[in-house]
Amino acid sequence: MNKQVLLDNLRCIPDWPIKGVNFRDVTTLFKNPDALKEILEEMYELYKDKGITKIVGIESRGFVMSSALAVRLGAGVVLCRKPGKLPCETVQESYAKEYGIDTIEIHKDAITADDVILLHDDLLATGGTMKAACDLVRKFGPKKVYANFIIELNSEFPHSREAFDKDVEITSLLEF
């Protein structure tokens, strides 16, 4: 993987959303065709032999690469969204955040026990949203669950992977 293409196109916004946080903005990766292709090719290489049947994209930046990778893998896409955004019956998972409780949901008929799931989001920081997404997906009883991120902030959040079950394989393209 050519990490330099990604690093050269990744925007870092200091002190956003609060002082002391260096926000990693993946939208600059998405708008650059070389960076977008690099992300897609690397994710394809990571998962081409895993038998992925569905990719669960986490709202909202997780939708971008989920869709592109699903086309390459011949898999379906499942949207994991905030409440009230999906039109049919859903299954929900609530989780604690530093400032309260949040909830995510997936359509009730989105995943079966025969599926091999790849969860994808842009960034792993505390891991709260992705852990909730893993717990939500496990309610469907799929064969296997993988998790992928474009960026992992392990220097700022060194214990975020510890929240996940040991059988969930986690990959990240860039680590800070």
Side-chain angles (χ1 to χ4, degrees):
M1 176 173 77
N2 186 349
K3 288 186 180 186
Q4 198 60 49
V5 168
L6 302 183
L7 293 170
D8 289 347
N9 287 282
L10 181 64
R11 178 170 37 206
C12 182
I13 303 168
D15 297 322
W16 195 86
I18 60 172
K19 188 166 180 59
V21 172
N22 289 317
F23 184 79
R24 307 286 199 253
D25 181 12
V26 297
T27 64
T28 54
L29 298 175
F30 297 158
K31 75 177 185 176
N32 180 286
D34 294 330
L36 189 63
K37 183 177 179 183
E38 194 66 35
I39 294 167
L40 179 58
E41 292 304 316
E42 182 61 20
M43 288 176 64
Y44 176 75
E45 288 300 317
L46 286 169
Y47 294 104
K48 67 183 179 184
D49 298 322
K50 303 288 188 184
I52 305 296
T53 58
K54 298 210 177 103
I55 302 175
V56 176
I58 311 300
E59 187 169 335
S60 66
R61 290 177 299 268
F63 295 166
V64 176
M65 295 313 302
S66 300
S67 300
L69 183 59
V71 170
R72 282 291 308 272
L73 292 176
V77 174
V78 174
L79 302 182
C80 183
R81 302 210 62 191
K82 295 176 181 176
K85 302 289 186 181
L86 296 172
C88 293
E89 192 174 349
T90 62
V91 178
Q92 295 185 336
E93 184 73 24
S94 293
Y95 59 103
K97 293 178 82 170
E98 58 275 9
Y99 50 83
I101 302 292
D102 212 345
T103 301
I104 54 174
E105 58 186 21
I106 293 174
H107 276 138
K108 187 176 183 179
D109 61 355
I111 297 171
T112 71
D114 292 328
D115 283 320
V116 176
I117 303 296
L118 171 61
L119 291 152
H120 173 72
D121 205 357
D122 64 323
L123 185 94
L124 174 59
T126 64
T129 303
M130 184 60 86
K131 171 63 170 130
C134 278
D135 293 345
L136 178 56
V137 164
R138 286 190 182 274
K139 291 179 179 180
F140 294 89
K143 290 180 183 178
K144 176 76 177 156
V145 177
Y146 297 90
N148 172 266
F149 304 90
I150 298 170
I151 297 169
E152 182 173 349
L153 301 177
N154 58 14
S155 63
E156 296 172 51
F157 303 95
H159 304 291
S160 57
R161 286 185 178 226
E162 294 171 10
F164 297 90
D165 295 336
K166 299 297 179 214
D167 65 331
V168 176
E169 292 181 32
I170 301 170
T171 59
S172 301
L173 303 187
L174 295 173
E175 296 181 25
F176 293 95

